[in-house]
């Protein structure tokens, strides 16, 4: 029995779209992209809170093969990313293969027919020879179970469910969380709210954002002479690479560079915040890079405003009209904004139930053993499956680096499978173990294990204390291996 599709892709963000483009290139054009939201763009569709912008410069945070000369700023606002996603979907003919509002419950490898059976909420199933999950890393919003939160009588809003017509003017609001999202939202919220209390559990490293509008003549130059934008991309990407490889991954060997980043962030804080006590509270006590640092010229300054208060006592419970902290004090509020991030390790790896060969459940396998995936993309016992958001898959600082390395891996793997006249692939146990051993060893030099990350509460670490999210190699290495991994790291077969 032939499957309905060559491939089923789950997720219509930039990862899923990159996978679709590569499938077309490989001639596997009969694919469907299933998306739970009502439109494409992934994180850039879901997130539209005030202040949203990229924090990796746009020349780099985009597909290298589809440059956009018309970014209006070095760091484009969220809306432009959404527009760019729509442009890519239309240009590459992806939109017509997308099914929105389609919540996938799970997928199961059908051994007899050698294809994947994907279950959609409501009872429908679709089948595909290949399964690609592109469900994102930060796709499962997290709301902490604060005692009493259900009794809160005011407005509660999570940053991933922002209502564009929701007006903060005159409100007494609280923002819980000081991650990258809060760093962007807080300055905007402070402009409107009557009172804004920021509940911080762990301070974040913030460095200046060298942002500026891109004037029309430069946009024209980028459009007319694409090599100029390519050069800008190369320069920016190289700087990010140096920061990541030297400052974070080779922390042991290059501690001074990492420390210099911390010194810069502290100087930025000193220059922006007048009150010594507040400065102290905003200063992290863990090494730079343990947790994703962020960029902002506005965040620290906001704490000078008379309507803004930083609260560092831990939250005890929530009442109908306020938040009570462990010291017994209550902050009265009418609006509760949850900038509390995402759940990665409990529900996102994988984001849906995936059952492979011999009934192996991917989530259980990862939890019972260790989080692992060969080259951050394939797992033994899961034939014809590419898990694009896997442990150790995120390479470098821009997600597009990861996406494009994975597109190359797909090209090499499926190309070889076709060359052999086969239709199935599966990574070998040995290759997977070799990769896991290698990344484990490499992590030993990183800030995650060599630095002081004890108080960081970083989502880079899983529940076992392993920094299993980022690939601890340069992006150059990731791209080189994507086109040169040993072809015998996979077994190939034919449909019986
Ligand atoms: P996040 O970094 O996980 O931050 C969540 C915040 O909520 C943290 O400050 C956390 O405190 C706090 N929190 C969670 N549970 C809490 C509790 N029980 N009590 C008190 N505080 C609690 O999430 P995010 O800010 O949404 O950012 C996630 C990632 O998205 C970023 O790291 C970045 O990669 C990406 N992002 C990118 C951009 C961009 O490129 N423009 C913008 C936004 C986000 P603890 O630190 O103490 O846990």
């Amino acid at each position: 029995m032939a499957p309905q599709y060559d491939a089923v892709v789950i997720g219509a963000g930039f990862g899923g779209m990159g996978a679709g483009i590569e499938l077309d290139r490989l001639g596997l054009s009969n694919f469907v992209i299933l998306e739970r939201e009502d439109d494409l763009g992934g994180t850039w569709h879901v997130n539209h809170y005030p202040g949203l912008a990229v924090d990796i410069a746009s020349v780099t945070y985009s597909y290298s093969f589809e440059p956009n000369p018309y970014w209006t700023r070095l760091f484009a606002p969220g809306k432009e990313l959404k527009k760019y996603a729509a442009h890519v979907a239309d240009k590459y003919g992806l939109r017509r293969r997308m099914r929105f509002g389609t919540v996938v419950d799970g997928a199961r490898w059908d051994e007899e027919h050698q294809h994947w059976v994907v279950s959609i909420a409501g009872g429908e199933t679709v089948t595909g020879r290949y399964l690609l999950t592109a469900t994102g890393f930060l796709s499962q919003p997290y709301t902490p179970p604060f005692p009493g939160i259900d009794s809160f009588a005011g407005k509660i809003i999570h940053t991933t469910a922002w209502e564009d017509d929701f007006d903060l003017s005159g409100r007494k609001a609280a923002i819980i969380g000081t991650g990258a999202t809060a760093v962007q939202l807080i300055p905007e919220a402070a402009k409107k709210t009557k009172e804004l209390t920021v509940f911080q559990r762990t301070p974040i490293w913030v460095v200046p954002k060298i942002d500026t509008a891109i004037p029309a003549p430069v946009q024209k130059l980028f459009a007319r002479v694409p090599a100029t934008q390519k050069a800008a991309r190369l320069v920016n990407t190289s700087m990010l690479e140096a920061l990541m490889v030297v400052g974070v991954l080779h922390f042991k060997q290059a501690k001074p560079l990492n420390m210099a980043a911390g010194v810069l962030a502290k100087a930025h804080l000193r220059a922006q915040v007048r009150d010594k006590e507040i400065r102290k509270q905003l200063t992290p006590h863990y090494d730079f890079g343990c947790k994703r640092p962020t960029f902002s010229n506005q965040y620290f300054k906001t704490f000078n405003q008379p309507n803004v208060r930083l609260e560092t006592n831990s939250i005890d419970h929530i009442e109908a009209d306020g938040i009570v902290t462990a010291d017994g004090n209550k902050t009265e509020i009418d609006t509760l904004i949850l900038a509390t991030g995402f759940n990665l390790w409990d529900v996102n790896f994988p984001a849906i139930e995936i059952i492979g060969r011999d009934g192996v459940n991917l989530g259980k396998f990862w939890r019972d053993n260790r989080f692992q995936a060969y080259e951050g993309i394939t797992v033994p016992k899961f034939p014809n499956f590419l898990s694009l958001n896997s442990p150790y898959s995120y390479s470098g600082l821009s997600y597009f680096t990861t996406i494009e390395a994975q597109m190359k891996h797909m090209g090499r793997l499926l190309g070889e499978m076709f060359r052999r006249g086969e239709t199935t692939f599966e990574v070998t146990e040995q290759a997977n173990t070799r990769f896991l051993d290698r990344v484990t060893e490499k992590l030993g030099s990183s800030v995650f294990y060599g630095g002081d990350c004890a108080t960081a509460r970083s989502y880079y670490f899983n529940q076992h204390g392993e920094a299993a999210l980022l690939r601890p190699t340069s992006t150059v290495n990731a791209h080189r291996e994507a086109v040169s991994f040993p072809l015998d790291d996979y077994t190939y077969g034919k449909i019986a």
Side-chain angles (χ1 to χ4, degrees):
M1 191 177 75
Q4 287 161 274
Y5 296 102
D6 293 333
V8 177
V9 180
I10 305 174
F14 284 119
M17 293 204 293
I21 292 168
E22 188 62 22
L23 286 169
D24 264 338
R25 201 186 66 76
L26 290 161
L28 294 174
S29 297
N30 174 26
F31 62 85
V32 64
I33 302 180
L34 306 178
E35 169 58 56
R36 72 177 176 191
E37 303 296 334
D38 61 1
D39 200 358
L40 57 86
T43 204
W44 299 101
H45 170 64
V46 170
N47 287 286
H48 40 91
Y49 56 82
L52 176 70
V54 293
D55 61 8
I56 299 291
S58 298
V59 283
T60 294
Y61 194 85
S62 43
Y63 297 109
S64 63
F65 55 84
E66 189 55 42
N68 170 19
Y70 302 111
W71 300 118
T72 61
R73 301 193 66 80
L74 281 184
F75 294 84
K79 267 189 192 150
E80 290 186 28
L81 269 292
K82 168 88 171 123
K83 205 170 136 199
Y84 174 69
H87 159 77
V88 172
D90 292 334
K91 177 167 174 182
Y92 291 86
L94 300 172
R95 198 186 284 270
R96 64 190 160 82
R97 271 92 142 236
M98 291 175 178
R99 274 184 62 181
F100 299 117
T102 306
V103 176
V104 174
D105 284 337
R108 181 178 53 79
W109 174 247
D110 181 332
E111 188 67 43
E112 188 190 344
H113 300 106
Q114 305 271 292
H115 64 217
W116 284 92
V117 181
V118 178
S119 312
I120 295 169
E124 188 191 351
T125 55
V126 293
T127 54
R129 184 70 68 209
Y130 306 99
L131 173 69
L132 298 93
T133 48
T135 44
F137 294 96
L138 303 162
S139 62
Q140 313 293 330
Y142 175 62
T143 296
F146 296 116
I149 191 165
D150 292 338
S151 69
F152 184 64
K155 175 85 179 166
I156 301 187
I157 193 162
H158 193 284
T159 51
T160 54
W162 199 263
E163 294 160 27
D164 292 338
D165 56 358
F166 176 58
D167 187 6
L168 282 167
S169 301
R171 289 191 171 254
K172 291 204 291 190
I175 293 185
I176 301 180
T178 52
T181 298
V183 165
Q184 294 185 335
L185 174 62
I186 287 166
E188 295 304 311
K191 286 179 191 162
K192 294 202 158 175
T193 44
K194 187 169 159 215
E195 289 171 22
L196 178 66
T197 308
V198 175
F199 287 80
Q200 169 190 275
R201 188 166 65 177
T202 310
I204 185 166
W205 285 110
V206 184
V207 290
K209 189 169 185 175
I210 305 161
D211 192 14
T212 171
I214 302 182
V218 176
Q219 294 180 25
K220 272 192 196 144
L221 177 70
F222 283 169
R224 284 200 193 128
V225 192
T228 53
Q229 194 175 17
K230 256 192 187 158
R233 181 182 177 106
L234 184 67
V235 170
N236 184 62
T237 309
S238 306
M239 285 184 330
L240 293 174
E241 181 81 345
L243 181 70
M244 185 69 184
V245 174
V246 187
V248 175
L249 300 181
H250 288 287
F251 173 81
K252 265 195 180 160
Q253 296 82 2
K255 225 170 174 173
L257 187 92
N258 180 291
M259 288 169 80
V263 169
L264 171 68
K266 280 185 186 166
H268 184 45
L269 172 61
R270 229 179 359 262
Q272 294 211 331
V273 176
R274 289 188 294 266
D275 188 297
K276 206 171 156 191
E277 187 53 30
I278 297 177
R279 279 207 305 263
K280 208 167 134 195
Q281 291 172 327
L282 288 169
T283 305
H285 296 288
Y286 53 87
D287 282 330
F288 190 92
C290 290
K291 179 174 196 141
R292 194 178 191 288
T294 189
F295 307 81
S296 174
N297 302 330
Q298 311 303 327
Y299 174 67
F300 285 144
K301 272 186 198 166
T302 309
F303 293 97
N304 295 327
Q305 286 182 217
N307 62 329
V308 179
R309 187 172 73 84
L310 180 65
E311 175 61 71
T312 56
N313 283 296
S314 60
I315 296 169
D316 183 76
H317 67 277
I318 296 178
E319 296 183 354
D321 59 348
I323 300 180
V324 180
T325 39
D327 58 359
N329 283 331
K330 176 157 146 185
T331 303
E332 288 190 4
I333 55 164
D334 54 33
T335 305
L336 174 55
I337 299 169
L338 298 166
T340 44
F342 303 86
N343 190 335
L344 271 87
W345 296 103
D346 297 322
V347 290
N348 200 50
F349 282 120
I352 54 165
E353 184 179 74
I354 297 181
I355 310 289
R357 201 158 55 73
D358 301 339
V360 177
N361 178 315
L362 182 60
K364 188 165 168 9
F365 168 71
W366 275 340
R367 280 163 188 78
D368 288 353
N369 299 279
R370 286 175 59 194
F371 286 88
Q372 54 195 282
Y374 171 72
E375 293 283 338
I377 193 166
T378 48
V379 186
K381 298 239 179 202
F382 291 84
N384 289 12
F385 173 48
L386 296 163
S387 169
L388 304 187
N389 305 110
S390 282
Y392 304 111
S393 61
Y394 202 108
S395 175
L397 287 170
S398 164
Y399 183 32
F400 285 87
T401 316
T402 304
I403 296 168
E404 292 193 26
Q406 295 188 323
M407 290 169 73
K408 287 179 182 168
H409 192 105
M410 278 173 70
R412 178 168 168 83
L413 170 59
L414 296 175
E416 174 64 9
M417 186 185 69
F418 296 149
R419 196 188 64 73
R420 295 183 185 211
E422 310 281 30
T423 31
T424 65
F425 66 81
E426 184 179 327
V427 69
T428 66
E429 299 271 2
Q430 297 89 316
N432 178 57
T433 304
R434 200 177 66 231
F435 183 78
L436 182 60
D437 288 348
R438 193 176 120 223
V439 288
T440 306
E441 192 198 323
K442 280 196 163 291
L443 275 167
S445 299
S446 72
V447 71
F448 306 122
Y449 295 164
D452 177 5
C453 292
T455 59
R457 288 181 184 270
S458 166
Y459 65 73
Y460 289 160
F461 294 84
N462 65 21
Q463 52 278 72
H464 309 300
E466 293 171 320
L469 181 66
L470 305 179
R471 178 187 172 110
T473 76
S474 67
T475 61
V476 175
N477 170 276
H479 278 251
R480 193 173 52 234
E481 286 190 14
V483 293
S484 67
F485 62 84
L487 294 166
D488 289 338
D489 280 355
Y490 286 91
T491 55
Y492 307 85
K494 255 190 219 9
I495 309 298

